[in-house]
Amino acid sequence: MRPERPSRPQTEPSARPAEPGRRALLGAGAAAVAAGLLGAGGTAVARPARADGKGAPAASGEVPPGYVTPGGPQVRDTEKHRGNGPVRQFSLVATPADIQLGDRSVRTWTYDGTLTGPELRVTAGDVLSVDFANQLPHPTTVHWHGLALRNDMDGVPGITQDAVASGESFAYRYMTVRPGTYWYHPHVGVQQDRGLYGPLIVDDPREPLAYDKEWVVVLDDWVDGIDGSDPDAILDELNHGEPHSGHEMRAAAPKESKKGPSRILEHAHSDLLGGMAGNVDYPLHLINGRTPDDPQTFTASPGDRIRIRIINAGGDTAYRVALGGHTMTVTHTDGHPVAHADTDALVLGMSERYDVLVTAKDGVFPFTALAEGKNHLAQAVLRTGGGAAPGPGTRPRELDGKLLTAFDLDSAESVRLPEREVDRRHQLVLTGSMRRFDWAINHAPFKPSQRYAVREGERVELVFRNHTGMWHPMHLHGHAFELAYGGARKDTVIVRPGHTIRVHLDADNPGLWMLHCHNVYHSESGMMTVLGYRD
């Protein structure tokens, strides 16, 4: 990995936010809503009040006053100014289902009974309207990952909406503004680490790229239903059976966790990630819901120019990806265009997306996703001619060739932030340890009433300082930041142990927005907070 870009010298105190109050229950016995803090310019101040408003629930306990509410007038006005295009209507059902993973059949939770969930595709400027029904035995939501959308449609329980109870429904409806590769998943507990995820593609009505075919590739690490394992039991094991801070909702229904074998990963190391590669030993790694011994085959003709949209929907795994026999040209990351760059391989942290172009050669080629530091892989096949398919476990030499990360990329001129001074800066020290599994931001485990304050119109700098022994893919809802200065526009960035990463964003989407590690076991153990717009 190339070192992060240089930035101007700054005084950077690492303030610890004020300690919030005790946990309370959300809804009918669900988890974690409690007293709070607000942070401004690296300073944290605790203040009591309510934060309820139209379109969003009130957190029980005390929360800071003076903030935009998810369904308030500022949010509605911003959505109105986005316009009102054609409505694209979808339905989506969260439901238990039996799925086939190679020679195994497992019971899990899915969208519409399939793995992956159905591809939702619209054109920028459309209104996305999704009638969502919850047929799971637990409350859930749908979060639309990476989109700059209206805040009350963001799908975060206790912050932007009430969780959708079992047997109930919710209508998600919002304007889509930015074209790109996105995805959707729950924001409740570790539900994402079951089968609840799917791609969301927003086409560009003035698409500048020329290509013949498109291939959407969704990567995932899988444990649910294998030998009695499930993600909730793994979260409990990682937390040593202690309570944890997050959007966990299992108290709302009888606990279904099974014991299964231990899935704790002990000695997985990656120089690329700066140390320990992950916490969970997944037995399977998938591409588009398929195992390497039963891979998906994508067919094309020699010479076809193929756009591959790659999404890492994993819970705890970074993937190094390559297409055997081919060079990839990176065109986008996290939905935003970059100055085109050629590479043999890419690394994707959890929730990151990359778009690449390849010119297909004649033959049969492995598309391989190596679980970084875990010595397992996922595999699909590109077929443009005759020949035997590569066997499971094929590791193309390109995986060890030229490797690009986000820090090697420059944003395209069309999406680059204009130069201006920073108005507000937040210091975000990533804290915690594997031994205690006490992940947090500025030593404060998540409470729904936390606020790091911004005001609409400000240029904001977020300074991520990783004081832990693990890497963290840090994700911000509702915005695309820029790696300082002039780097790629993204919504998720890998922060390695001992490293400091600075990102800039323009505060142009009022609301209460989650900021968290996208290792689902870290976020549910406390490494998340809220970026809140002041009234």
Side-chain angles (χ1 to χ4, degrees):
M1 249 184 206
R2 192 171 84 184
E4 60 269 20
R5 299 167 184 272
S7 57
R8 294 173 293 213
Q10 295 162 1
T11 303
E12 300 173 337
S14 297
R16 175 173 177 168
E19 289 293 332
R22 296 183 59 187
R23 296 178 69 185
L25 295 180
L26 170 65
V33 284
L37 55 92
L38 74 88
T43 302
V45 182
R47 296 182 182 177
R50 294 182 63 82
D52 52 326
K54 181 179 178 182
S60 55
E62 295 181 341
V63 294
Y67 283 89
V68 169
T69 54
Q74 298 94 330
V75 173
R76 296 195 300 270
D77 287 348
T78 299
E79 182 74 352
K80 182 178 179 181
H81 288 141
R82 290 179 177 132
N84 192 22
V87 177
R88 304 301 183 199
Q89 186 69 46
F90 299 89
S91 62
L92 191 67
V93 180
T95 182
D98 295 312
I99 62 167
Q100 198 69 28
L101 298 176
D103 59 359
R104 302 171 186 254
S105 178
V106 300
R107 186 75 170 170
T108 189
W109 295 352
T110 67
Y111 291 121
D112 287 6
T114 64
L115 187 70
T116 62
E119 178 184 298
L120 306 182
R121 186 177 286 263
V122 298
T123 299
D126 290 347
V127 174
L128 178 62
S129 181
V130 179
D131 292 330
F132 172 68
N134 180 16
Q135 295 180 4
L136 302 174
H138 293 253
T140 192
T141 63
V142 183
H143 167 59
W144 312 95
H145 185 108
L147 289 170
L149 76 171
R150 58 180 296 160
N151 190 220
D152 54 356
M153 296 290 109
D154 194 42
V156 180
I159 301 292
T160 68
Q161 69 170 98
D162 289 321
V164 182
S166 179
E168 299 297 323
S169 61
F170 189 90
Y172 291 98
R173 183 184 175 102
Y174 55 87
M175 276 290 296
T176 57
V177 179
R178 298 173 181 159
T181 302
Y182 305 102
W183 62 300
Y184 59 92
H185 60 83
H187 223 283
V188 174
V190 289
Q191 291 180 3
Q192 176 209 318
D193 214 24
R194 296 178 185 259
L196 292 167
Y197 57 84
L200 170 56
I201 308 302
V202 181
D203 287 321
D204 190 335
R206 295 174 294 277
E207 179 58 65
L209 298 179
Y211 51 93
D212 303 297
K213 290 200 169 187
E214 184 179 301
W215 187 11
V216 178
V217 170
V218 183
L219 314 175
D220 187 28
D221 42 18
W222 190 273
V223 69
D224 194 32
I226 305 295
D227 300 326
S229 296
D230 72 53
D232 290 315
I234 292 169
L235 181 63
D236 286 343
E237 184 181 7
L238 288 167
N239 280 275
H240 314 294
E242 296 298 320
H244 36 84
S245 301
H247 296 309
E248 186 263 330
M249 308 287 287
R250 283 175 296 149
K255 185 174 178 179
E256 295 180 349
S257 293
K258 301 171 284 294
K259 294 295 182 181
S262 174
R263 297 294 183 184
I264 303 303
L265 193 61
E266 292 294 345
H267 302 294
H269 178 87
S270 166
D271 290 338
L272 180 63
L273 299 174
M276 190 169 182
N279 301 123
V280 180
D281 186 10
Y282 289 89
L284 297 176
H285 295 269
L286 312 177
I287 291 180
N288 292 342
R290 306 280 287 271
T291 57
D293 57 355
D294 179 33
Q296 182 191 52
T297 297
F298 183 82
T299 59
S301 299
D304 277 352
R305 195 164 169 82
I306 305 170
R307 181 178 189 166
I308 309 177
R309 300 178 185 262
I310 312 168
I311 302 167
N312 184 354
D316 177 73
T317 305
Y319 289 100
R320 185 192 302 227
V321 300
L323 177 61
H326 291 74
T327 296
M328 302 183 293
T329 299
V330 181
T331 64
H332 296 72
T333 180
D334 291 356
H336 287 75
V338 297
H340 291 192
D342 292 340
T343 189
D344 294 318
L346 286 168
V347 63
L348 289 84
M350 291 80 78
S351 89
E352 287 190 292
R353 291 92 62 211
Y354 282 88
D355 292 22
V356 302
L357 290 175
V358 299
T359 300
K361 297 181 179 180
D362 189 1
V364 190
F365 308 94
F367 183 96
T368 300
L370 178 69
E372 182 65 32
K374 296 185 177 184
N375 297 318
H376 297 288
L377 57 78
Q379 188 174 304
V381 173
L382 170 64
R383 178 178 288 277
T384 64
T394 299
R395 179 170 174 152
R397 60 180 178 80
E398 285 80 7
L399 284 172
D400 300 312
K402 180 181 179 181
L403 176 74
L404 288 184
T405 74
F407 301 101
D408 299 306
L409 301 173
D410 296 309
S411 60
E413 289 289 344
S414 61
V415 298
R416 187 168 297 175
L417 292 181
E419 290 189 10
R420 59 175 284 192
E421 292 299 313
V422 169
D423 301 302
R424 190 184 299 260
R425 179 174 297 111
H426 285 298
Q427 306 288 335
L428 301 162
V429 181
L430 311 181
T431 57
S433 69
M434 177 61 187
R435 183 178 62 84
R436 298 186 62 184
F437 225 74
D438 53 346
W439 308 112
I441 296 175
N442 289 330
H443 301 280
F446 173 69
K447 300 293 179 183
S449 48
Q450 290 171 352
R451 301 289 182 269
Y452 284 88
V454 300
R455 289 190 183 276
E456 190 171 3
E458 290 182 332
R459 170 65 57 84
V460 179
E461 182 175 76
L462 305 178
V463 184
F464 297 104
R465 300 180 180 278
N466 189 350
H467 287 187
T468 80
M470 285 196 66
W471 68 285
H472 302 284
M474 298 304 296
H475 170 58
L476 174 63
H477 288 207
H479 299 76
F481 48 69
E482 183 176 273
L483 303 182
Y485 290 87
R489 292 286 301 275
K490 291 179 64 61
D491 55 67
T492 305
V493 62
I494 290 175
V495 187
R496 294 190 296 165
H499 282 239
T500 295
I501 303 296
R502 294 175 177 83
V503 303
H504 292 162
L505 65 98
D506 284 341
D508 57 5
N509 195 13
L512 304 176
W513 299 103
M514 295 302 299
L515 174 63
H516 62 93
C517 177
H518 221 282
N519 182 315
V520 68
Y521 297 96
H522 293 185
S523 59
E524 278 305 301
S525 299
M527 191 174 277
M528 54 184 176
T529 190
V530 179
L531 194 75
Y533 280 66
R534 297 304 304 260
D535 257 336

